[in-house]
């Protein structure tokens, strides 16, 4: 067993974990932060994206021991201090950027990382950035609209059919 100490959503926690424990398992099973979803266990879907030291990371690809000493932010830490939805979360709600909600935590965390690095991304840049996140419900249009809205840009119209 290895003792890991990390700051998760602003709170310092210490846990003893096996060397093979993934960060996603530590968050979900030991810390009960079940907003971080595990959809594939192969780094394909992006449902498990969290921020580690400010960078978006697929938590199913990182050992918990690698996060020792790190600052980790999960979807549970995205809300404003008063508990209200963050700008990104509110945009996803307002622009219907979710359906079943399974991919939503990873999409929101990825969107936050994108907007940190590129505050006004184009539609094409958003779509390219989200290539590592899979959604089986929305067709991505409303997710892109949500991220555009969160960035303060006008929301693209629905494509003509």
């Amino acid at each position: 067993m290895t003792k890991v100490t990390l700051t998760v959503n602003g709170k310092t926690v210490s846990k003893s974990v096996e060397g093979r424990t993934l960060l996603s398992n530590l968050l979900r099973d030991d810390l009960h932060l079940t907003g971080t979803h595990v959809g594939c266990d192969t780094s394909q879907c992006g449902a498990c994206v969290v921020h580690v030291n400010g960078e978006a990371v697929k938590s199913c690809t990182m050992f918990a021991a690698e996060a020792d000493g790190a600052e980790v932010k999960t979807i549970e830490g995205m809300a404003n201090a008063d508990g209200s939805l963050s700008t990104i979360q509110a945009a996803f709600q307002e622009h219907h950027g979710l359906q079943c909600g399974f991919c939503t935590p990873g999409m929101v965390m990825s969107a936050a990382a994108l907007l940190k690095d590129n505050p006004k991304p184009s539609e094409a840049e958003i779509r390219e950035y989200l290539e590592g996140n899979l959604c089986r419900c929305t067709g991505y249009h409303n997710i892109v609209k949500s991220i555009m809205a969160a960035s303060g840009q006008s929301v693209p119209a629905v494509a003509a059919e």
Side-chain angles (χ1 to χ4, degrees), residues 81-95:
D82 65 1
S84 63
L85 297 177
S86 70
T87 301
I88 296 168
Q89 290 171 310
F92 267 72
Q93 182 180 46
E94 181 179 345
H95 296 281

Side-chain angles (χ1 to χ4, degrees), residues 1-156:
M1 299 293 276
T2 302
K3 183 176 180 179
V4 296
T5 301
L6 54 155
T7 303
V8 181
N9 300 329
K11 296 178 184 173
T12 301
V13 295
S14 293
K15 289 285 182 181
S16 291
V17 297
E18 293 183 42
R20 65 183 178 177
T21 302
L22 298 173
L23 179 58
S24 57
N25 296 116
L26 172 68
L27 295 170
R28 292 182 55 79
D29 301 339
D30 296 332
L31 302 180
H32 309 291
L33 296 171
T34 57
T36 300
H37 294 161
V38 178
C40 66
D41 280 326
T42 59
S43 186
Q44 301 297 311
C45 75
C48 68
V49 172
V50 298
H51 296 175
V52 178
N53 294 330
E55 299 296 321
V57 172
K58 290 181 179 179
S59 63
C60 76
T61 64
M62 183 177 195
F63 290 114
E66 292 178 282
D68 188 38
E71 296 231 358
V72 177
K73 182 182 265 190
T74 69
I75 190 68
E76 290 89 349
M78 287 298 292
N80 294 319
D82 65 1
S84 63
L85 297 177
S86 70
T87 301
I88 296 168
Q89 290 171 310
F92 267 72
Q93 182 180 46
E94 181 179 345
H95 296 281
H96 310 289
L98 58 98
Q99 283 185 15
C100 80
F102 191 82
C103 71
T104 305
M107 290 287 186
V108 168
M109 299 306 289
S110 292
L114 169 61
L115 295 178
K116 181 184 89 172
D117 294 339
N118 183 355
K120 300 285 184 196
S122 68
E123 182 176 348
E125 289 171 323
I126 293 169
R127 289 182 182 279
E128 181 178 341
Y129 193 86
L130 294 179
E131 284 182 352
N133 294 74
L134 299 179
C135 175
R136 293 183 174 121
C137 300
T138 69
Y140 298 93
H141 183 72
N142 287 343
I143 293 169
V144 173
K145 283 174 40 177
S146 299
I147 296 169
M148 295 287 289
S151 73
Q153 300 180 78
S154 61
V155 175

